[in-house]
Amino acid sequence: MRACLFGSLLLLAACQGPLSTLDPGGPQARSVFVFTSAMVLVAGAAFALVIGLFAIALRRGRRVTGGDAGSVRAERRWVVWLGIAFPMSVLTVLLAATLWVGEGQFVRNDRLPTWRATASQGGWQFAPLGSDGVQGATTDRLVIPAGEPVIVEIVSSDVIHSFWVPRLAGKMDAVPGKPNRHLIQADTPGTYLGQCAEYCGVGHDRMRFEVLATAPRGSAAGGQP
Amino acid sequence: MRRSALTRMALALLSGLLLWALWFVLAYALHGAQCAGALGLSRTAGQIAQVGLWLFTLGVIVLLARRAARLDVSPELARTARYLQITAIGATIFAGLPILVLAPC
Amino acid sequence: MTTHQTSAQPPVTPHDPAALHAELDAVWRGLPGWRGFVCEVNHGAIGLRFMITAIIYFAIGGVLAMLIRVQLASPRAAFVGPDIYNQLFTMHGTIMMFLFAIPMLEGLALYLLPKVMGARDMAYPRLSALGWWCYALGGAILLVAMLAGVAPDGGWFMYTPLSDKVHTPGINADVWLLGITFVEISAICAAVEITVSILKLRAEGMALTRLPLFAWYMLGTAAMMLIGFPPLILGSILLEVQRAFDWAFFDPARGGDPILWQHLFWLFGHPEVYIIFLPAAGALSVMIATFARQPIIGHAIIVAAIWAMVFLSFGLWVHHMFTIGIPHLALAFFSAASMLVAVPTSVQIFAWIGTLWSGRPRWSLPMLHITGFFLTFVLGGLTGVMLAAVPFNWQAHDTAFVTAHLHYVLIGGFVFPMLAAITYWMPHFTGRRAVRGLGSAAFWLIFIGVHGTFLVMHLTGLLGMPRRVSIYPDNPEWELLNLISSVGGFIMTAGFALFAVDMGLQLFMGRRTRRNPWRATSLDWAMRLPPPTYNLASLPRADMETDERTLTPSRLDMLATTLAMGEGMLAGAPRGVRETLIIDAVSGRAEAVAVLPGNTMRPALTALTIGLFFLAMLAGFYWVAAAAVVLVAAICASWIRPVAPIQDTTSAVPETIEGLPASPFCRYGLGWWGSAVLLVANTSLFASLLFAVAFLSVIAPGWEGAVQENPHGVLPMAALLVTAIGGALLLCAGLWSQRAATAGQRALAWAGMLAVAAGALASGAMMTGSPAEHARHAVQAAILAYLVIHALILLTMHLAAARGHRIGVQAVATQGVLAQWHGYTGLVALVGALALAVAKL
């Protein structure tokens, strides 16, 4: 019992980190984390099944009886049931879950407070966008209100980069000529680390930024610094 | 004749998957054109168009599969052809399921 | 050794295998010394050459991987700076994908296919050799660049705008674009040859229903190569033209779109990994059937699974682009399709397990590697299905998780099967038995090393470590994991080194093997080991049992003896030429006898001139490059020549051989088939070009308002009309095909060529802007250039055919090919002119 507890504490500790997708700090990242955990369990079970069957197959030494009829039966068992029906059923469930979890990741309400994140090989720049499209003052940290969903409009001024704050949400690329709108939300106030997640040349490994989530009272709505 | 036996066999085996590929390209192109505003369709109209294309393709695949089943190919290839036609139908259904719950853009 | 025009002279007595061998060897053997190396065209030697070169590149790519792991073993290693590190990972990926995996499977296919199908050679021996020379020279360009410190550094998929001239001003990116395109010529050659050989060059009576399973796998692979490589070839051409001449394909400020590169690359890139997996799966099917001592269960459905994978794999490419900002429904299509492809994969996995379950499996060194395959590939496949789910992909994309996944599927799905295949066929290549002991040790080191390196890497990625970073000083939580991965990497390297030593021991010190040491039932084991250059002294007849599913090892041995005694078809080489049988693709009925070329320097010379073109482009000497193109056309034209008997070159090949027409006299011979298959690849290239036009015109920013009034009034439309008329004339010339060209058909063809070329050039001269100004002019110019190039190809073909007829090539053999190209060029001219007119480009 103590070993289990220790083991799971160790596992939990191993999952911590400022850039860890396994330590979610917002609803988008959290739903993906739960989804991922479920997939890992199912994948583990599938792996055990396949390898178990393989191991048993190697140990058996007997030839199947029944000649032709036997082989058709065997074919149906292995190829049709295990090879087709089993994966199709699992995949249908997976597809449904994928669509459902996926919907929560997209911007569906365009009237949320918006910030523009401009990526370049020199680093990240952020500025709030007013509802009239006018850009506020530029900072090098993204400051958002905690507990509220926020849209980040991601643009690039040179090559393709990627905006990624793993503890809050998945990543969205910064493509020159194509602004992308991305939904993030931080549950609690604090600093969340982000990094560029698309190879962009020599400066790629140092291209990081911070997202500061401020307490809701006196929060910064779109348009105010 | 030489070529027609090969063509017959290729059609019997691959007509379903060829149609699946064609549907996939058309659906993706339709989606891209709509989201770029080139078609002037609303989201709902776009979804209806996608569903229509999907059901039409399924119909054509099933029809051609039944015709292909009557083509004169050897029994073993006929079995492979049957599996391939079923694959095409299954692939079209599965890859098209998202259209029923998601509208374009 | 004289030959007559009519029927053959009395054959060598059929029960004298030694005399048969001497006769065949005189015709089929390579030349001695360095001349032999340069002039070799036989499939066995070329196949081995491909595999050995691939293994050398695997070692180089492996060394690069070790350098990467040394850098990443600690968080702020000063081993290499980021600029060198970027070259390291780019070259590692490029070498492994283009210079190891594809050539390795090509080599195995070239070596095995004729043997497995009861033939003497592949359809185009000179093309096989050309493929190897292009591969060797293209790879050398990349290696030299690496040693000179200007290796490509944009990642192995070279995303724009990072890889354009502005952001990569040096020649690094050009090395990749030109070098890889050079190597891809080799892949297209192999794909054409594999397709035609499998369809037409089998043993008599080997109907399509009795095609060996390995051949089905290779047919699917070749089909994927024909459709999947051209998008990358087109993309590379467009990017190189943008870098060299500033045409605006991928520049969003001028109507281009960097995402176009990603589409073109991944349209190739995803099928590429299935191109790599399918031959390995084919080898696995063969080996598992042998070691289970029974045929693979579910044969019909496995053939279906192969073709399902061939088609479905073309519907997945956007799953590499899930994060670029695509709406949910489009993502969902590709997510669903990516999950779907797991089904044909699992059909094969369970068929293999079922075969072992219902058979009598026995243990061996190849089975050990096959076990490694199961334990590794299945895990990789499962993480692949996870990555197909968009929300998870948004977290894991571009992290070490993807690196872990791709290595699991590639090492599991290709390297382990290839290790098994090498140990399985090593007695075949060398004629010697394995030296016991080292093989298992090598396997365990590799296995422990692979999982040691990449298992924890999944966690590293989920903890946020991105790909392609050289230092991580602020993330102590990644330190131990990276150290474990690096240690695992070194264990893996030791394992591979031990494997190489083991193979070396077998090659140099192994004892002679008996025939068919694994007691397999496929035709490749029905010969002496190592096999003679001609494989079989006589070819199987329709009444001989050749089906691997019904043969037993003892009946296979009897068949081998029968064939060696000359009791099959085409015994010996009495006419002094290299012969093998051409059959009907579906029924297996004998149709003709292929007369194949012998040793020649032409492929090496052709590759050198193609290399001259690529080097001139790389150096920026564009006029030299243009001159090189003319040289390449001339040397390719010189390939059209009659095949002469090897011993007595003054005599001619007879018109019929053993009652069947000889291929030089056939209308639908190997030339016709090869041309038709090549046109499939060409169609894929043109379709990719049309896709690029459609994509840019609909999606790329900055196309509204880019249309300007054309100062030439109605003339540009008139020029397009001339092009279209030329296309129609060519189409008619193609459909109106005769055994020999009549004056009328020739006039039609020439008029068509002239009209297409003139119309396209005039249209290009009257464009409202230059291709460097806006992408719409760039794509317009690209389509017009494609048409002009094809008109020039037609011109070259006419000249080559005319010269060929003067030196003895039969007109009937060239007319069909010309008809195809007339028809194709006519069609693309019509479609191209229509597209340009409709889009008002």
Side-chain angles (χ1 to χ4, degrees), chain C residues 748-761:
Chain C
L748 207 59
W750 281 92
M753 283 192 284
L754 230 62
V756 168
L761 284 169

Side-chain angles (χ1 to χ4, degrees), chain C residues 533-556:
Chain C
T533 48
Y534 52 85
N535 296 340
L536 298 166
S538 61
L539 302 180
R541 294 185 187 280
D543 54 359
M544 295 178 184
E545 186 186 16
T546 55
D547 191 341
E548 62 186 359
R549 284 175 287 167
T550 61
L551 273 172
T552 64
S554 47
R555 286 210 295 276
L556 187 71

Side-chain angles (χ1 to χ4, degrees), chain A residues 75 88 91-92 95 99 103, chain B residues 43 79 83 94 98 101-102:
Chain A
E75 175 179 316
M88 278 306 298
L91 290 175
T92 310
L95 182 64
L99 296 178
E103 265 302 285
Chain B
R43 287 187 82 206
R79 218 152 146 234
Y83 280 123
F94 192 80
V101 289
L102 293 173

Side-chain angles (χ1 to χ4, degrees), chain C residues 581-674:
Chain C
L581 188 65
I582 299 180
I583 52 144
D584 173 73
V586 179
S587 67
R589 210 184 47 240
E591 251 181 20
V593 174
V595 178
L596 299 172
N599 302 299
T600 164
M601 232 189 265
R602 223 165 290 269
L605 287 175
T606 311
L608 278 173
T609 37
I610 299 177
L612 180 65
F613 165 73
F614 281 111
L615 285 173
M617 287 293 297
L618 196 55
F621 301 150
Y622 300 120
W623 289 111
V624 176
V629 171
V630 177
L631 215 61
V632 170
I635 205 169
C636 286
S638 76
W639 281 44
I640 300 179
R641 57 196 307 101
V643 182
I646 292 184
Q647 303 288 68
D648 174 11
T649 52
T650 58
S651 62
V653 172
E655 273 189 52
T656 59
I657 297 177
E658 287 191 19
L660 297 165
S663 61
F665 300 90
C666 291
R667 178 168 178 72
Y668 297 115
L670 294 177
W672 186 93
W673 279 87

Side-chain angles (χ1 to χ4, degrees), chain A residues 72-130:
Chain A
V72 168
R73 210 172 33 237
E75 175 179 316
R76 204 170 295 139
R77 189 190 330 136
W78 288 99
V79 159
V80 175
W81 287 110
L82 277 170
I84 304 180
F86 163 59
M88 278 306 298
S89 350
V90 174
L91 290 175
T92 310
V93 174
L94 179 64
L95 182 64
T98 302
L99 296 178
W100 188 62
V101 174
E103 265 302 285
Q105 310 288 316
F106 282 84
V107 175
R108 290 295 177 214
N109 174 9
D110 276 322
R111 285 188 302 275
L112 293 172
T114 309
W115 274 258
R116 173 174 289 150
T118 307
S120 72
Q121 285 175 314
W124 295 89
Q125 296 281 289
F126 304 96
L129 275 183

Side-chain angles (χ1 to χ4, degrees), chain C residues 206-413:
Chain C
M206 190 183 274
L208 210 55
T209 48
R210 290 204 244 141
L211 193 65
L213 203 49
F214 182 72
W216 271 119
Y217 273 98
M218 287 313 307
L219 188 60
T221 307
M224 292 176 72
M225 288 168 84
L226 290 170
I227 313 275
F229 272 83
L232 178 62
I233 295 177
L234 177 73
S236 305
I237 293 174
L238 296 184
L239 184 56
E240 183 53 39
V241 165
Q242 171 166 326
R243 288 179 59 88
F245 308 117
D246 204 26
W247 290 23
F249 298 109
F250 307 107
D251 182 359
R254 292 179 286 160
D257 197 330
I259 301 296
L260 175 64
W261 168 266
Q262 295 195 24
H263 279 294
L264 289 174
F265 185 87
W266 290 115
L267 270 167
F268 148 80
H270 193 82
E272 152 90 339
V273 303
Y274 290 94
I275 288 169
I276 291 174
F277 173 64
L278 277 183
L284 283 171
S285 296
V286 168
M287 293 185 284
I288 288 176
T290 303
F291 292 114
R293 291 182 272 200
Q294 78 151 39
I296 295 283
I297 66 171
H299 186 273
I301 200 173
I302 290 192
V303 175
I306 293 170
W307 290 101
M309 280 185 98
V310 166
F311 276 82
L312 291 177
S313 70
F314 280 93
L316 311 187
W317 84 92
V318 175
H319 74 214
H320 301 271
M321 302 157 61
F322 273 161
T323 59
I324 62 162
I326 302 178
H328 198 189
L329 179 59
L331 295 180
F333 281 141
F334 288 93
S335 187
S338 304
M339 293 176 193
L340 258 181
V341 83
V343 177
T345 316
S346 77
V347 160
Q348 293 170 72
I349 299 271
F350 284 111
W352 292 327
I353 297 178
T355 306
L356 290 167
W357 185 288
S358 54
R360 287 179 301 138
R362 63 197 155 96
W363 201 247
S364 63
L365 185 56
M367 274 304 291
L368 194 54
H369 287 286
I370 292 175
T371 307
F373 153 77
F374 275 102
L375 285 165
T376 316
F377 179 73
V378 173
L379 194 66
L382 290 167
T383 55
V385 173
M386 288 173 65
L387 283 166
V390 172
F392 174 69
N393 190 287
W394 280 15
Q395 287 285 38
H397 173 69
D398 248 311
T399 67
F401 187 94
V402 176
T403 312
H405 157 72
L406 73 91
H407 282 89
Y408 263 85
V409 283
L410 286 173
I411 297 180

Side-chain angles (χ1 to χ4, degrees), chain C residues 673-808:
Chain C
W673 279 87
S675 171
V677 172
L678 183 62
L679 283 175
V680 171
N682 203 352
T683 308
S684 175
L685 188 73
F686 188 62
S688 307
L689 184 54
L690 292 178
F691 164 75
V693 175
F695 179 82
L696 285 180
S697 57
V698 174
I699 309 280
W703 275 60
E704 316 76 27
V707 189
Q708 295 151 301
E709 196 59 49
N710 194 313
H712 298 106
V714 72
L715 283 180
M717 273 299 168
L720 283 182
L721 192 62
V722 169
T723 311
I725 291 173
L729 290 174
L730 281 175
L731 203 52
C732 291
L735 293 169
W736 179 21
S737 58
Q738 309 282 337
R739 290 214 141 238
T742 60
Q745 188 215 15
R746 242 199 308 259
L748 207 59
W750 281 92
M753 283 192 284
L754 230 62
V756 168
L761 284 169
S763 186
M766 291 189 284
M767 287 197 302
T768 54
S770 86
E773 276 173 38
H774 195 276
R776 75 179 313 124
H777 308 304
V779 294
Q780 182 182 3
I783 294 183
L784 296 172
Y786 185 84
L787 296 181
V788 172
I789 288 171
H790 274 74
L792 289 173
I793 290 176
L794 271 181
L795 174 67
T796 314
M797 289 174 96
H798 271 271
L799 295 174
R803 177 187 161 273
H805 299 157
R806 277 200 304 275
I807 60 171

